[in-house]
């Protein structure tokens, strides 16, 4: 076969796809463009490059070797952006620790990832206090501080980030690496068992950047990220590289704004003050932002916002559109780097009413370029694009985790049959728009038919008295399962509305025929709150334990 | 080192970058979008995919095996687009024959590339007539015809394209290939010796598409190719895959218009009738289009036009801007797939006057993402970005030909020191905009200083009586070399203007100090025409032979 391959001249440079190339050879080389961290740092791309080189010297000076792991516990910051580049660029692995995990889980991931170096923001020292003395592998600690703290007793820090940076040389020649070198690792907070580690190579991160940019760039006005945008992440950088957007923003040379911890007031103030035009977040955060008094006072028009992590409800979508926010859905998961689909609209669709657009924007959308996404039945046959045939979502793309770290069995399950199994159940409409109807493990099977808990949640959420809802399947002798809707009422409605009224509201939808008849079997239970996972998703495992 | 690479689960799919993925998993899957060939064919993407499958069956049915070469002689057509995909997708190599070469040169390339199958448009049968009986390697001929011809006596054709396509099955499973499989080959028409073959892999063509799209997509209004554009190539598909844009257009799912042979009237009519908004061409064609009477009658506003292949003159640029054309420069060559730079403007630059914009738009622009482009002195040291330090342009990117086909020596020269040597001389300004000042072999060295023949050509072209100009270096005992400007006057001016007046016009520029003093040594010679290469570039080798 080898004579089929392109012949290579001995001297010819066989260009590997490396993260350094996104920084060094970007779409736009914009040295004076700003990079902002809250009101604490205001630098530019020239400084970014210099600081990345200093950071490389700092880390190699501390003995970090290719293949070793550098872990970070920080809020979204310019420092995190620097680490996104410097750590993989010296051939090391960046472990982005999920700071919302429990201390015990954090200890588990530090141990499992075999972290050699740990950078810790002083705000997380209380967590470190809980696990001190039980970390075996970390050799070097570096303190990160926003308040001038340079020493602490909790960790044996070799110094503070800014001080060490200032001492390091600003010159560094980044080596060429094999493009399949591991660049990042982080842990998915599954609903069962301990967190599982996923990992991505340089090549995968470069291709995710180019693939996502092919979709976000090529639109004229809607769902686009262009060279004149201003970017601020509102999905944590420890969570799937903030969906990979910091890499793209850096390639584009746009102004970047890092907000630290997500406080609604800070986020809205930064949005206004810095002219932010592109962000991404989970629905819970969007909800929080829109409910904040500042939301009425500042101009949100033209803010492009990818929503992912959980289903965007039509109500929240319509409310966002009313405020002029270009809100749309992205779909993916930790295992997928993450983005697989985007709910981009055609120019004709953008002429529709907000309510009609919301139907499309709340779907998870169309596959990105190079993404082979299939909805299949249990025999792996692709299902018709008819908007009703629900099946498992399986996928191939150049940027999927090739397994779970040190977990052979789970890796094989993930990739059974050569496709990555997302664990999601979905339908596709005639135009190819994907709509996630359920997690395959969360499916509710009523009288042999699958009922979509997400669809049912959406219907319940339409009732004006409902603040939050989660639907789980309750074992039932007669029907196999019946849907159980756990409902949190709005505080003002607390005493006025009954579970029966909510159930009646659902049945009306069934009577109108807009949803399968099985939903009339719904039971409604009013609850004070709904359990969430560390990344803000509804924790159905916990809910089942509690209510079944 | 191998433990530094990402671990791969046995079942995990290690996604190769293949041309089939651009067609099967595009940015926008738009089955009803049109693909048009003159007034002779109007199909859509659904048909494109079906025809590509039929074509794959046709070719494999004729015995084409992976690694074999399928050559094409056709004008730009929907068929060519089908061949762009089908041939590499079955693992064969597409040889796009330059139909403007002499019959002898065409024979040379057919022989050198070891073509197994040759598809020939009936318009090129006269060329085949000249070389019949001397082609040894071609096993199978396929006739292409726009006028219903299905048989001919010149070549032993096994059938006509449309008829064979209709007989072939519309089902085909495209295999996975090594991403470094050779996909295409074609010949550069250098100014010395026989044509040299370059070659590109699947991976390279996919990365060129993603890299170019990263630049063309990420702009809001200027120099952009978006999902709502309509594309028509005006650089031949046999010439570096029409600059690779048909692959990108197909990824984006946009309407595509193929114009056949380039006739100004047909091009302008198609532009208007089909709503073309994105094209690319050489300056000569743009000149021809603007001089055509139709140009005044149709609305050219918003037409995005990449100019490459030769320098865009400021006059032509300003005239295009006056008509509302968004004209900008691209730079590259056959060896580079081709595009390396694009003269994109910032929003602030777009506020400048046309004349000021022309200064920027006529530069060859800024490197694309992932392109490591350097301007170096003879010791390979990078030169300052000061707009005056001229040096050799050398480059690395993921899409550069890894050598010349079966020419080890020339391949090593091309890649000496691990960088591809473009053979161009350029300066870079403070913002990084590249400006080609000369071909390294065409440099004119006057009294030890390099004089830019391109700059001098641009100045001469500013004289109202000048239709065309080429500057070469004439050996001179005193100065080493003196610039010799070969000038073709406009027909209406033929008798009124003398060589002395043109020389005076040049000296005025030198007196104003806008150009180096050496140009006052220019000699002007009025000539009836200027020799061109087969792709329309000024043939300085021929000119030197004739006039020195």
């Amino acid at each position: 076969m080898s004579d089929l391959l392109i012949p290579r001249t001995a001297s010819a440079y066989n260009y590997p796809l490396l993260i350094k190339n996104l920084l060094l050879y970007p779409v736009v080389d914009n040295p004076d463009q700003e990079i902002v961290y809250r009101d604490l740092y205001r630098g530019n791309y020239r400084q970014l490059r210099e600081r990345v080189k200093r950071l490389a010297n700092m880390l190699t000076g501390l003995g970090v070797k290719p293949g070793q792991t550098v872990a970070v516990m920080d809020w979204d910051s310019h420092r995190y952006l620097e680490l996104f580049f410097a750590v993989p660029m010296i051939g090391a692995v960046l472990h982005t620790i999920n700071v919302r995990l429990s201390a015990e889980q954090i200890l588990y991931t530090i141990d499992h990832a075999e972290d050699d170096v740990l950078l810790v923001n002083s705000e997380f020292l209380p967590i470190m206090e809980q696990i001190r003395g039980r970390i075996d592998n970390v050799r070097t600690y570096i303190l990160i501080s926003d308040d001038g703290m340079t020493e602490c007793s909790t960790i044996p820090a070799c110094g503070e980030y800014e001080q060490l940076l200032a001492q390091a040389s600003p010159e560094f020649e980044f080596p060429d690496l094999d493009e399949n070198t591991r660049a990042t690792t982080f842990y998915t907070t599954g609903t069962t068992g301990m967190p599982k580690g996923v990992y991505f190579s340089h090549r995968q991160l470069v291709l995710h950047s180019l693939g996502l940019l092919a979709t976000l760039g090529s639109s004229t006005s809607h769902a686009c990220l262009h060279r004149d945008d201003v970017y601020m992440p509102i999905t944590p950088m420890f969570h799937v590289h903030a969906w990979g957007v910091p890499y793209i923003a850096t390639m584009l040379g746009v102004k970047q704004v890092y907000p630290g911890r997500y406080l609604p007031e800070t986020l809205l103030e930064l949005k206004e003050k810095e002219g932010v035009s592109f962000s991404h977040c989970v629905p819970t955060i969007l909800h929080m932002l829109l409910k904040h008094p500042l939301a009425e006072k500042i101009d949100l028009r033209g803010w492009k916002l990818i929503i992912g992590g959980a289903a965007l409800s039509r109500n929240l979508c319509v409310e966002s559109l009313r405020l002029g926010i270009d809100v749309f859905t992205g779909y993916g998961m930790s295992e997928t780097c993450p983005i697989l689909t985007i709910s981009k609209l055609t120019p004709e669709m953008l002429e529709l009413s907000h309510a009609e657009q919301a139907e499309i924007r709340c779907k998870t959308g169309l596959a990105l370029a190079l993404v082979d996404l299939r909805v299949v039945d249990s025999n792996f046959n692709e299902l018709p694009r008819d908007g009703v045939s629900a099946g498992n979502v399986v996928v191939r793309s150049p940027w999927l985790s090739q397994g779970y770290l040190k977990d052979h069995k789970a890796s094989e399950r993930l990739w059974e049959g050569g496709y990555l199994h997302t664990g999601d159940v979905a339908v596709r409409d005639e135009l190819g728009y994907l709509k996630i109807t359920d997690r395959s493990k969360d499916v509710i099977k009523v009288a042999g038919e699958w009922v979509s808990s997400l669809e049912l949640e959406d219907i319940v959420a339409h009732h004006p008295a409902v603040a939050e809802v989660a639907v789980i399947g309750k074992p039932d002798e007669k029907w196999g399962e019946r849907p159980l809707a756990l409902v949190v009422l709005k505080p003002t409605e607390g005493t006025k509305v009954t579970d029966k009224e909510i159930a009646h509201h659902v049945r009306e939808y069934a009577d109108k025929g807009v949803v399968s008849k099985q939903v009339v079997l719904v039971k409604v239970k009013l609850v004070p709150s709904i359990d969430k996972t560390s990344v803000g998703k509804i924790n159905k495992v916990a809910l089942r334990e509690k209510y079944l």
Side-chain angles (χ1 to χ4, degrees), chain A:
Chain A
M1 281 291 283
S2 73
D3 59 338
L4 305 184
L5 307 188
I6 47 168
R8 294 203 193 276
T9 302
S11 297
Y13 182 71
N14 184 7
Y15 193 110
L17 299 176
L18 299 177
I19 286 170
K20 72 171 176 178
N21 299 323
L22 301 181
L23 180 69
L24 301 179
Y25 311 115
V27 174
V28 178
D29 185 6
N30 224 345
D32 297 317
Q33 183 61 272
E34 287 184 306
I35 294 171
V36 178
Y37 170 51
R38 292 166 52 196
D39 52 355
L40 298 174
Y41 173 86
R42 188 169 289 271
N44 60 31
Y45 277 70
R46 193 178 287 107
Q47 288 161 306
L48 170 64
R49 288 188 187 179
E50 189 195 303
R51 287 170 60 95
V52 166
K53 288 180 189 170
R54 287 181 185 273
L55 184 47
N57 280 313
M58 181 215 289
L59 293 170
T60 52
L62 290 170
V64 177
K65 299 268 182 306
Q68 292 191 343
T69 302
V70 176
V72 185
M73 293 175 73
D74 194 8
W75 301 119
D76 291 7
S77 69
H78 63 303
R79 298 174 295 246
Y80 223 135
L81 182 68
E82 291 153 14
L83 288 157
F84 265 39
F85 285 98
V87 175
M89 282 165 68
I90 60 171
V93 180
L94 176 71
H95 173 198
T96 54
I97 293 179
N98 181 344
V99 298
R100 297 212 193 110
L101 292 179
S102 69
E104 289 303 319
Q105 283 179 314
I106 288 176
L107 174 63
Y108 173 83
T109 67
I110 290 172
D111 179 61
H112 190 268
E114 302 175 29
D115 297 338
D116 299 284
V117 174
L118 181 52
L119 294 99
V120 188
N121 187 310
S122 60
E123 289 192 42
F124 303 115
L125 291 177
I127 296 176
M128 298 309 294
E129 191 70 44
Q130 294 178 56
I131 56 178
R132 68 186 297 179
R134 289 191 283 154
I135 302 174
D136 297 327
N137 44 295
V138 174
R139 191 171 32 80
T140 308
Y141 291 87
I142 298 165
L143 184 66
I144 289 174
S145 156
D146 285 324
D147 57 7
M149 177 194 282
T150 57
E151 286 179 43
C152 69
S153 57
T154 317
I155 52 168
C158 68
E160 189 272 332
Y161 188 88
E162 284 300 329
Q163 290 192 340
L164 292 171
L165 215 57
Q167 290 159 18
S169 158
E171 296 300 331
F172 195 93
E173 274 296 319
F174 290 99
D176 269 4
L177 308 166
D178 185 312
E179 65 183 22
N180 296 309
T181 301
R182 187 154 62 106
T184 63
T185 281
F186 55 87
Y187 285 76
T188 70
T189 49
T191 41
T192 52
M194 286 308 266
K196 288 204 279 287
V198 293
Y199 47 89
F200 299 95
S201 68
H202 284 254
R203 171 184 162 111
Q204 291 183 313
L205 288 163
V206 170
L207 290 175
H208 181 269
S209 302
L210 291 171
L212 181 53
L213 184 53
T215 285
L216 292 179
S218 62
S219 174
T220 302
S221 63
H222 144 73
C224 52
L225 174 57
H226 287 162
R227 303 197 288 264
D228 47 1
D229 274 310
V230 176
Y231 168 61
M232 178 172 75
I234 321 183
T235 320
M237 297 178 85
F238 63 72
H239 187 57
V240 211
H241 333 105
W243 298 356
V245 184
Y247 285 121
I248 302 176
T250 305
M251 272 184 87
L252 289 180
V254 301
K255 177 173 169 182
Q256 302 186 50
V257 181
Y258 288 90
R261 187 180 189 153
Y262 297 161
L263 305 168
E265 187 158 322
T266 308
L267 292 170
L268 288 166
E269 281 171 359
L270 283 170
K271 152 73 185 119
E272 185 177 37
K273 182 176 162 217
E274 305 293 349
V276 172
S277 62
F278 189 94
S279 295
H280 44 77
C281 66
V282 292
T284 315
I285 297 250
L286 175 58
H287 186 81
M288 238 166 59
L289 292 176
L290 298 192
K291 293 299 162 209
H292 193 278
L294 259 183
E296 290 296 325
K297 291 186 193 136
I298 74 172
D299 187 356
L300 298 172
R301 284 175 301 171
W303 195 11
K304 290 160 284 188
L305 205 53
I306 317 182
I307 300 297
L312 173 63
S313 75
R314 277 170 290 185
N315 281 349
L316 191 56
C317 182
V318 168
E319 171 65 5
S320 304
L321 291 174
R322 189 185 66 78
L323 293 169
I325 300 175
D326 179 23
V327 67
F328 55 101
T329 303
Y331 166 65
M333 52 206 292
S334 297
E335 288 84 344
T336 64
C337 200
I339 300 192
L340 299 174
T341 72
I342 288 281
S343 66
K344 54 197 175 195
L345 277 63
T346 63
E348 296 72 37
M349 291 173 180
L350 291 169
E351 301 293 318
L352 299 173
S353 72
H354 286 172
E356 290 167 312
Q357 284 188 38
E359 285 294 324
I360 306 162
R361 289 174 184 264
C362 292
K363 293 185 182 182
T364 40
L366 297 165
L368 301 190
L370 306 184
V371 173
D372 172 11
L373 185 145
R374 300 183 182 204
V375 176
V376 297
D377 65 18
S378 48
N379 295 321
F380 237 76
N381 296 313
E382 212 162 347
L383 292 171
R385 296 184 179 196
D386 57 8
V388 293
S389 300
N392 297 307
V393 179
V394 297
V395 69
R396 286 175 168 179
S397 92
W399 49 78
L400 308 182
S401 184
Q402 297 280 295
Y404 292 114
L405 206 59
K406 303 193 280 187
D407 188 342
H408 178 68
K409 269 196 182 171
S411 298
E412 277 295 336
R413 267 200 306 277
L414 180 69
W415 276 105
E416 197 188 331
Y419 276 81
L420 184 144
H421 295 252
T422 62
D424 287 317
V425 174
V427 297
R428 252 177 166 176
D429 65 19
E430 295 71 14
L431 297 172
Y433 286 80
L434 188 78
K435 186 176 179 182
I436 304 297
T437 54
D438 232 311
R439 294 282 306 166
S440 53
K441 287 175 197 145
D442 296 348
V443 157
I444 306 174
K445 211 158 190 179
V446 183
E449 297 287 329
W450 280 356
V451 164
S452 161
S453 63
L454 294 190
E455 195 176 34
L456 191 44
E457 283 164 7
D458 195 39
I459 289 171
V460 174
H462 267 66
H463 190 288
V466 171
E468 258 189 310
V469 56
V471 171
I472 54 178
K474 186 180 164 67
D476 184 278
E477 217 164 294
K478 183 169 180 188
W479 303 102
E481 281 188 308
R482 286 179 72 166
L484 172 64
L486 304 164
V487 171
V488 180
L489 293 179
K490 291 179 183 165
T492 50
E493 313 278 345
T495 52
K496 289 180 253 168
V497 177
T498 65
D499 52 357
K500 294 212 164 38
E501 281 179 55
I502 307 279
H504 177 71
H505 163 83
V506 171
R507 281 188 206 106
E508 280 181 341
Y509 276 78
D511 292 343
K512 283 184 214 149
V514 296
V515 63
S516 68
K517 279 291 169 193
Q518 280 79 8
V519 304
V520 302
L521 293 170
V522 70
K523 289 191 170 186
V524 175
K525 183 175 180 67
L526 303 181
V527 295
S529 70
I530 285 174
D531 299 68
K532 303 277 169 56
T533 70
S534 68
V535 293
K537 291 185 189 185
I538 293 173
N539 189 341
K540 293 208 172 174
V541 172
L543 292 175
R544 281 196 201 96
E545 281 174 12
K546 197 184 281 184
Y547 294 109
L548 296 184

